[in-house]
Amino acid sequence: MTERFSAREAIVLAGDDFRELPVPMREFKPDGPLSWQGYDDSRRRALTRTGEDESVVCGTAVIGSTRVVLIAFEFGFLGGSLGERTGDRVEAAYTHARAHRLPVVSLVATGGSRMQEGMLALTQLQRVARQSALAREEGLPQIAVLRDPTTGGGWATLGAGADVTLALPGAQVGFAGSRVRPPDADPAAYTAEAQVAAGAVDAVVREEELRETLTLWLTLLTAPTTDPGAEAGPEVEVGPEVEPVPPPAALGAHGLPATGWDAVRHARSPERPRAAAYLDAYFSRRAAISGDRCGGSDDGMLCGFGSGPAGRTVAYAAQCGTATRPAGYRTAARLIRLAGRLGFPVLTLVDTPGAANDAQAERQGAGSAIADLFAAVATARTPVTTLVIGEGGSGGALALAAPGNTWATPDSYFSVIAPELAAAILKRPASEVHDTADQLRIRPQDLVELGVIRGIVEHAKR
């Protein structure tokens, strides 16, 4: 179990120059809206124990060089539970964030809704969810830090509903609190680490690294975009109306594959650069999101935001040469939609033999996940630029590719189907696989001639 920090201690851990926001006034009749006997006494004891008069402290603070609205829960005050006054303060904090165009950072530690206020407490979740949605519509970044414990409605709104969700090591995280779970429930499933594995949390961050991590995320997610119409590209930056850029003159014909099978062989070579090499070459620093928020994650799909040329933030989704799992496609779709809301261009790197097609992938909704990514790319609110860096295997690769703005490296190919599979379907012997690869016209230069890609660019240097 992680250390339980008070709200004020968590604030000091995260940032500086905290300025508490004015507290909305709400008068209760004795023992609250339900006249719950002893409720006023419980509140007075909580005040004495914590020094706080409610379960949440709201204000502004500076994290790195970014002024943010900070919402910090005090678990020592009635278990950090949400009541009407909690809802008042959270709503006021979000209103201030929208008025001043500030990102919202929530330091969550709560057991859920406050029983002593009954359904009036439960409906605060609707208020909180609405405020989060309004901030999302305004393009304001929201980051949640899950402390111990984060359960119930606080997890299902401010926690899981954030754009980026971080957690402290060992924090108890789950919709069900420890006292309401099935008696045989595995406690390991209700941890921050388990939620990362399930795709519900982006990363576990140690206390001593929290401020640095928040600073990086806020720097990336609030970096101004100097040209909203600009696109991201690994070697070139082009606007929507700029003509395609030809292959670099230094490349020369000798740098391109002579045959279709040569293209396949080069793309499958363990010697060529992989996604991480391109990301490292393009970004000075980056931060990753993880998970599809539907119960899965895929290590073969790298997604996140990085600081690109001139310090501009660019979102990225990159395949790593493996068969992409449904969770990978859903994570990429999540990334593209988040980038659109926040106003950042997207760079995608294609490198996969195709979509995972095992039975488990089908049970996990491979078809719907790929369809969702196609839709996310097709309706992207910001420019998407694609570079094919290795294998471009059928629809599992095409789903990540930008229509009309896809480029390729000389050691890549893009094909409707792998040559071996095409030969098998056509009932050709293995000796004809190489000829089939030529017939498919899958070389980078073929793809340029066919109008499938805009041009060929040099690959990343190892």
Side-chain angles (χ1 to χ4, degrees):
M1 180 182 294
T2 186
E3 181 179 352
R4 285 188 175 174
F5 298 97
S6 70
R8 304 281 175 173
E9 289 170 337
I11 290 169
V12 171
L13 197 66
D16 300 307
D17 192 25
F18 181 70
R19 303 174 187 177
E20 195 162 351
L21 291 171
V23 175
M25 299 306 296
R26 176 190 289 266
E27 294 297 328
F28 275 159
K29 61 183 182 180
D31 283 330
L34 303 186
S35 299
W36 185 288
Q37 187 174 1
Y39 182 34
D40 286 347
D41 291 337
S42 296
R43 288 181 58 88
R44 280 191 288 269
R45 287 193 296 271
L47 171 60
T48 300
R49 181 169 57 253
T50 65
E52 308 294 348
D53 61 358
E54 194 41 79
S55 63
V56 71
V57 178
C58 301
T60 66
V62 176
I63 301 177
S65 60
T66 306
R67 174 69 64 176
V68 305
V69 164
L70 205 56
I71 299 172
F73 279 76
E74 176 53 70
F75 187 75
F77 191 99
L78 300 181
S81 56
L82 284 81
E84 285 189 295
R85 288 175 176 167
T86 317
D88 292 341
R89 296 188 185 193
V90 172
E91 183 174 75
Y94 268 98
T95 300
H96 185 88
R98 292 198 306 276
H100 297 275
R101 303 294 304 167
L102 298 177
V104 178
V105 176
S106 300
L107 308 174
V108 188
T110 173
S113 300
R114 192 168 301 168
M115 293 181 297
Q116 294 92 332
E117 296 183 25
M119 279 301 299
L120 294 175
L122 189 64
T123 58
Q124 300 311 301
L125 303 181
Q126 295 171 321
R127 292 180 73 187
V128 172
R130 181 174 185 274
Q131 293 305 312
S132 179
L134 291 174
R136 192 175 298 116
E137 289 177 359
E138 292 286 331
L140 301 179
Q142 299 176 73
I143 301 175
V145 178
L146 311 182
R147 296 150 53 209
D148 186 58
T150 297
T151 61
W155 162 231
T157 51
L158 290 175
D163 298 319
V164 177
T165 305
L166 310 174
L168 298 182
Q172 179 187 171
V173 179
F175 188 66
S178 59
R179 297 183 182 180
V180 297
R181 298 171 194 156
D184 59 347
D186 179 6
Y190 301 84
T191 63
E193 290 77 7
Q195 295 291 356
V196 170
V201 170
D202 291 299
V204 171
V205 181
R206 293 186 298 176
E207 291 88 340
E208 60 269 27
E209 297 174 349
L210 179 60
R211 183 179 294 217
E212 179 182 358
T213 302
L214 288 174
T215 296
L216 174 59
W217 270 114
L218 289 165
T219 300
L220 291 173
L221 297 186
T222 60
T225 300
T226 55
D227 180 4
E231 300 176 7
E235 291 291 333
V236 293
E237 294 186 22
V238 294
E241 306 304 323
V242 176
E243 290 298 314
V245 178
L251 181 61
H254 67 275
L256 295 173
T259 68
W261 188 249
D262 283 340
V264 174
R265 189 166 49 82
H266 294 169
R268 294 176 181 174
S269 170
E271 300 302 317
R272 69 164 173 83
R274 304 288 162 155
Y278 286 90
L279 297 177
D280 288 344
Y282 188 62
F283 296 114
S284 58
R285 55 183 177 172
R286 51 192 170 97
I289 67 169
S290 175
D292 62 0
R293 298 300 185 262
C294 298
S297 60
D298 180 5
D299 292 338
M301 179 75 81
L302 303 179
C303 294
F305 294 81
S307 182
R312 182 182 63 169
T313 295
V314 175
Y316 64 85
Q319 291 169 319
C320 298
T322 58
T324 304
R325 311 293 307 175
Y329 292 114
R330 282 190 283 261
T331 304
R334 172 193 163 205
L335 181 282
I336 291 169
R337 292 185 174 114
L338 175 56
R341 290 200 304 270
L342 299 179
F344 297 120
V346 180
L347 170 66
T348 66
L349 302 181
V350 169
D351 183 12
T352 180
N357 58 8
D358 53 83
Q360 184 180 19
E362 294 298 336
R363 295 189 189 101
Q364 293 170 345
S368 61
I370 295 170
D372 189 47
L373 180 55
F374 269 120
V377 172
T379 61
R381 295 165 59 178
T382 52
V384 180
T385 300
T386 298
L387 181 64
V388 185
I389 64 172
E391 292 195 79
S394 194
L398 188 67
L400 198 62
N405 197 29
T406 292
W407 305 74
T409 64
D411 45 8
S412 68
Y413 78 87
F414 216 147
S415 179
V416 64
I417 191 172
E420 302 95 324
L421 298 179
I425 291 173
L426 295 173
K427 298 182 179 180
R428 294 177 175 178
S431 60
E432 295 187 24
V433 168
H434 292 190
D435 290 339
T436 302
D438 285 333
Q439 287 182 290
L440 288 168
R441 299 198 64 192
I442 60 180
R443 301 175 303 168
Q445 60 266 43
D446 296 328
L447 300 173
V448 172
E449 185 178 341
L450 292 169
V452 175
I453 65 173
R454 290 180 65 171
I456 303 169
V457 299
E458 186 58 276
H459 55 62
K461 301 300 187 294
R462 293 180 69 90

